[in-house]
């Protein structure tokens, strides 16, 4: 079994069987009823709502913010996050999210949920209004990637 096969196995188990059919049907309906931009906008709003329901404590550093985010993800088995500070941006990587397992692969708009979560958490942490979070890669090798950077 390859490492990717092993990750696929664990991710499919991350969505409880009683929810898998419902989630796939919901995603199918969203794909038939909304265009991709509207689906992504809806998922981002859901993510922002989730972040509001799971606020992070005030913390002094990016590492502490990462630790606080992972303290939310760990007990609900939603993978883990890594933040990497660059000169002009912050890279955000979310590993092993159950989104693809729950909604089905090939639906990059699902990552907009995490985009909304991280957008809300970074705004609540006090990032400048000229900064925003955007998805750069959805479910690439079991990683969703985002960047916090200046809005163009």
């Amino acid at each position: 079994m390859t490492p990717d096969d092993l990750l696929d196995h664990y991710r499919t188990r991350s969505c409880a069987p009683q929810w898998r059919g419902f989630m796939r049907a919901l995603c199918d309906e969203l794909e038939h009823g909304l265009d991709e931009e509207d689906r992504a906008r809806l998922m981002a709003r859901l993510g922002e709502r989730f972040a509001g329901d799971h606020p992070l404590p005030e913390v002094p550093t990016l590492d502490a913010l990462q630790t606080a985010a992972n303290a939310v993800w760990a007990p609900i088995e939603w993978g883990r996050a890594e933040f990497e500070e660059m000169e002009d941006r912050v890279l955000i990587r979310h590993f092993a999210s159950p989104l693809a397992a729950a909604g089905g692969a090939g639906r990059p708009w699902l990552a907009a949920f995490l985009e909304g979560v991280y957008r809300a958490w970074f705004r609540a942490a006090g990032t400048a209004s000229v900064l925003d979070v955007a998805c750069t890669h959805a479910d690439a090798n079991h990683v969703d990637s985002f960047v916090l950077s200046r809005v163009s």
Side-chain angles (χ1 to χ4, degrees), residues 24-99:
R24 298 271 167 91
L26 177 63
C27 288
D28 288 344
E29 192 60 33
L30 289 173
E31 283 186 333
H32 289 14
L34 299 173
D35 64 34
E36 188 162 354
E37 187 176 307
D38 286 340
R39 289 190 302 266
R41 194 173 11 258
L42 173 63
M43 294 304 292
R45 283 195 322 260
L46 291 171
E48 290 170 2
R49 184 175 299 273
F50 176 92
D53 290 342
H54 299 84
L56 301 183
E58 286 189 33
V59 294
T61 66
L62 185 63
D63 284 342
L65 190 65
Q66 174 184 299
T67 299
N70 284 322
V72 171
W73 297 130
I76 61 172
E77 299 180 1
W78 262 69
R80 67 179 178 80
E82 286 184 1
F83 302 158
E84 181 181 350
E85 189 169 5
M86 310 293 282
E87 185 176 319
D88 62 343
R89 70 184 64 93
V90 173
L91 301 178
I92 304 162
R93 292 181 198 89
H94 191 104
F95 298 86
S97 153
L99 287 168

Side-chain angles (χ1 to χ4, degrees), residues 11 92-100 108 110-111 114 118 135-146:
R11 282 191 0 167
I92 304 162
R93 292 181 198 89
H94 191 104
F95 298 86
S97 153
L99 287 168
L110 286 170
L114 293 170
Y118 291 118
C135 184
T136 56
H137 291 91
D139 198 38
N141 295 323
H142 307 284
V143 179
D144 293 302
S145 299
F146 308 88

